Amino acid sequence: MENVIMSPLKLLLRNTPQEWDDATRNTAHLLTGTDRDHPPEWIKAHYGEAFPEIECFENYALNDLVAKRADLLLADGGFKRIIPLTEADVLRAAWLRERHGLTGIRPEDAVHMRDKFLMKQRASAGGVPVAEFRKVRNAFELLDFADTVGYPVVLKPIAGKGSADTYILDSEAELDALLSEGIFAGIEREPDMLAEAFVEGTQLRVDGYYSQGVCRYMSAARYVGSHIDFLHGGFMGSAMLDARGDLSRRAVAFTRNLLENVLPFGPEGLFHVELWERPDGELVLGEAAQRLGGGSIFEENRAGFGVDFKMAAVHAFCGFDAYDWPPTEALQQRISGQTTISPRVGVLTKVPETAPFDWVLDYTCAPAGRRYQAMRHTNGEIATFIVSGETSDQVEERLRTCVAWFYANTEWSDA
């Protein structure tokens, strides 16, 4: 075997064993997670034909034994590549490459894809528009920043993921309420938080991958709902943009400049870039990540463009020739969209198993009869819809229809 793939369980399950086998050609040792519905025995039985070796870890994203095991594997020799797919493994993989002399992005560069302060420093120095920002280590620095830029103010961990512990403070009263909870005083070490001026406008995202220094796939979409709403029991989705349209072309050009000329992205990797279009049309960087986008972004792209860029990226990262696809302007078959809905706190007692709309391409839901908790990260959805439409506006309208229908047809108990 030549490759070690690091993938949380959720990403593994969203493709079939045959799709993984086609992508890796049986060349990869898999390090993945496990949960109560998918014990190691089940994972190995279902995915064993795609991976000669599979090792499973509880609490995968926060388990440092994953890095220890990868270190031992690479020390034995024979492996040429370490392949991370999500945020949790970006720096793990970079340190492993450095320790074992493997090709790929190193820690001093990879940190720019995790540390949002360094990312925005580099972007600003490279001429990329960013909202005003400041590293804040205590209440005084946050108060000074709010006095300078005014409200709303965004506060987030510098190296956070999944929108956890991110706040939009609309007033001094909301800032005071947060301070009363000990956002700084309650931490045993001096915290590093990032404060940003809030950007008014439309939130966009651009996703895809590079291999061998070449952009192989890149598509743009606009968000429907928000990450913060999603974390607090709401929904979040996106509607693909027409790849031939002006906004899509500008978002793609913005992202290519960012990844190819400004940030030390490296010759290959998946990417997920969030940006804003201000009312005057200016594009402003939100943040960039060297990972697969969350939610059902790759499924949404598969529905709209007819290709699976996630598996195509894995195929290329495993050392095989990249697929020869036309540009996304020519590849796009239809406008698609996706939304995910977060759970309530309580027992889900009733949930519909099918959706009654012919434009819903895929609908999945969590099982009834279980107790669910509030999410801490934007990866614990209870339902997902993939839809199609004639335009981005129609797709957004249909996504909102799906959300309303789901809320009206589910039942919860606090018992």
Side-chain angles (χ1 to χ4, degrees), residues 25 61 85 97 107 141 156 178 184 221 236 264:
R25 297 183 184 175
L85 299 180
R97 292 188 194 103
E141 292 180 347
K156 63 180 69 172
L178 184 63
F184 295 104
M236 179 180 66

Side-chain angles (χ1 to χ4, degrees), residues 239-396:
M240 299 299 306
L241 299 178
D242 184 338
R244 296 170 294 276
D246 175 69
L247 181 55
S248 176
R249 291 178 185 272
R250 289 192 295 117
V252 164
F254 179 100
T255 302
R256 294 197 65 151
N257 176 58
L258 178 73
L259 299 182
E260 295 174 14
N261 302 318
V262 180
L263 295 181
F265 181 78
E268 70 177 27
L270 290 154
F271 64 84
H272 172 72
V273 174
E274 296 177 2
L275 58 152
W276 295 84
E277 184 193 30
R278 294 187 192 272
D280 64 3
E282 181 187 37
L283 297 180
V284 178
L285 175 65
E287 55 190 62
Q290 194 176 48
R291 61 166 172 85
L292 187 69
S296 297
I297 288 174
F298 93 82
E299 291 96 337
E300 174 189 32
N301 276 265
R302 185 168 57 190
F305 293 87
V307 296
D308 187 336
F309 79 85
K310 170 189 166 187
M311 287 291 97
V314 170
H315 182 80
F317 300 162
C318 283
F320 304 113
D321 290 339
Y323 295 130
D324 186 20
W325 293 340
T328 49
E329 294 94 329
L331 199 61
Q332 191 169 35
Q333 300 172 353
R334 56 186 167 186
I335 306 297
S336 55
Q338 57 90 26
T339 190
T340 49
I341 301 174
S342 64
R344 278 184 48 184
V345 177
V347 177
L348 178 62
T349 58
K350 175 187 173 184
V351 62
E353 295 185 358
T354 59
F357 311 111
D358 59 9
W359 35 260
V360 170
L361 305 176
D362 187 60
Y363 161 64
T364 58
C365 60
R370 289 186 180 177
R371 178 173 293 278
Y372 295 90
Q373 304 297 325
M375 296 192 303
R376 289 201 67 251
H377 305 280
T378 53
N379 62 358
E381 63 271 9
I382 198 168
T384 299
F385 294 87
I386 307 291
V387 311
S388 65
E390 296 297 321
T391 65
S392 298
D393 287 344
Q394 185 181 60
V395 165
E396 177 173 345

Side-chain angles (χ1 to χ4, degrees), residues 153-281:
V153 168
V154 180
L155 183 68
K156 63 180 69 172
I158 273 181
K161 55 181 180 289
S163 299
D165 300 316
T166 296
Y167 307 92
I168 299 176
L169 307 171
D170 289 314
S171 65
E172 185 176 359
E174 290 189 8
L175 188 152
D176 287 351
L178 184 63
L179 293 178
S180 73
E181 296 175 5
I183 188 70
F184 295 104
I187 300 177
E188 294 181 356
R189 57 173 291 278
E190 186 177 70
D192 285 342
M193 301 286 283
L194 184 71
E196 300 175 306
F198 184 79
V199 179
E200 296 285 353
T202 301
Q203 189 176 18
L204 310 172
R205 60 165 180 78
V206 182
D207 296 87
Y209 79 101
Y210 282 75
S211 70
Q212 298 179 328
V214 177
C215 179
R216 306 294 182 178
Y217 181 88
M218 186 176 289
S219 68
R222 74 168 187 252
Y223 276 107
V224 180
S226 75
H227 297 73
I228 302 301
D229 290 343
F230 185 49
L231 273 177
H232 292 87
F235 74 96
M236 179 180 66
S238 54
M240 299 299 306
L241 299 178
D242 184 338
R244 296 170 294 276
D246 175 69
L247 181 55
S248 176
R249 291 178 185 272
R250 289 192 295 117
V252 164
F254 179 100
T255 302
R256 294 197 65 151
N257 176 58
L258 178 73
L259 299 182
E260 295 174 14
N261 302 318
V262 180
L263 295 181
F265 181 78
E268 70 177 27
L270 290 154
F271 64 84
H272 172 72
V273 174
E274 296 177 2
L275 58 152
W276 295 84
E277 184 193 30
R278 294 187 192 272
D280 64 3

Side-chain angles (χ1 to χ4, degrees), residues 12-252:
L12 174 70
L13 297 177
R14 284 161 63 186
N15 284 92
T16 67
Q18 186 61 56
E19 288 169 338
W20 280 104
D21 192 34
D22 291 344
T24 66
R25 297 183 184 175
N26 227 232
T27 64
H29 187 123
L30 175 67
L31 303 180
T32 189
T34 185
D35 62 23
R36 67 175 181 173
D37 294 325
H38 305 94
E41 297 77 16
W42 185 96
I43 296 168
K44 292 174 183 179
H46 281 74
Y47 286 88
E49 292 186 5
F51 299 97
E53 296 290 341
I54 300 175
E55 297 185 59
C56 303
F57 298 82
E58 294 182 359
N59 196 25
Y60 175 89
L62 299 177
N63 191 337
D64 288 320
L65 291 177
V66 177
K68 179 184 177 184
R69 180 56 184 150
D71 191 42
L72 291 173
L73 286 172
L74 297 175
D76 285 343
F79 292 102
K80 295 181 179 179
R81 306 170 193 89
I82 181 85
I83 302 170
L85 299 180
T86 63
E87 204 119 56
D89 292 316
V90 170
L91 283 173
R92 282 175 177 169
W95 282 109
L96 287 164
R97 292 188 194 103
E98 183 169 83
R99 283 172 63 83
H100 298 283
L102 302 179
T103 59
I105 190 171
R106 293 295 201 267
E108 62 270 20
D109 288 334
V111 70
H112 289 83
M113 310 307 294
R114 291 288 292 115
D115 185 312
K116 296 174 177 61
F117 179 72
L118 293 179
M119 176 195 305
K120 297 206 170 187
Q121 271 193 324
R122 185 82 170 240
S124 181
V128 174
V130 299
E132 192 167 350
F133 66 98
R134 177 179 177 178
K135 182 187 291 187
V136 292
R137 297 160 296 176
N138 52 57
F140 312 111
E141 292 180 347
L142 178 57
L143 290 165
D144 289 346
F145 182 79
D147 285 342
T148 299
V149 303
Y151 294 94
V153 168
V154 180
L155 183 68
K156 63 180 69 172
I158 273 181
K161 55 181 180 289
S163 299
D165 300 316
T166 296
Y167 307 92
I168 299 176
L169 307 171
D170 289 314
S171 65
E172 185 176 359
E174 290 189 8
L175 188 152
D176 287 351
L178 184 63
L179 293 178
S180 73
E181 296 175 5
I183 188 70
F184 295 104
I187 300 177
E188 294 181 356
R189 57 173 291 278
E190 186 177 70
D192 285 342
M193 301 286 283
L194 184 71
E196 300 175 306
F198 184 79
V199 179
E200 296 285 353
T202 301
Q203 189 176 18
L204 310 172
R205 60 165 180 78
V206 182
D207 296 87
Y209 79 101
Y210 282 75
S211 70
Q212 298 179 328
V214 177
C215 179
R216 306 294 182 178
Y217 181 88
M218 186 176 289
S219 68
R222 74 168 187 252
Y223 276 107
V224 180
S226 75
H227 297 73
I228 302 301
D229 290 343
F230 185 49
L231 273 177
H232 292 87
F235 74 96
M236 179 180 66
S238 54
M240 299 299 306
L241 299 178
D242 184 338
R244 296 170 294 276
D246 175 69
L247 181 55
S248 176
R249 291 178 185 272
R250 289 192 295 117
V252 164

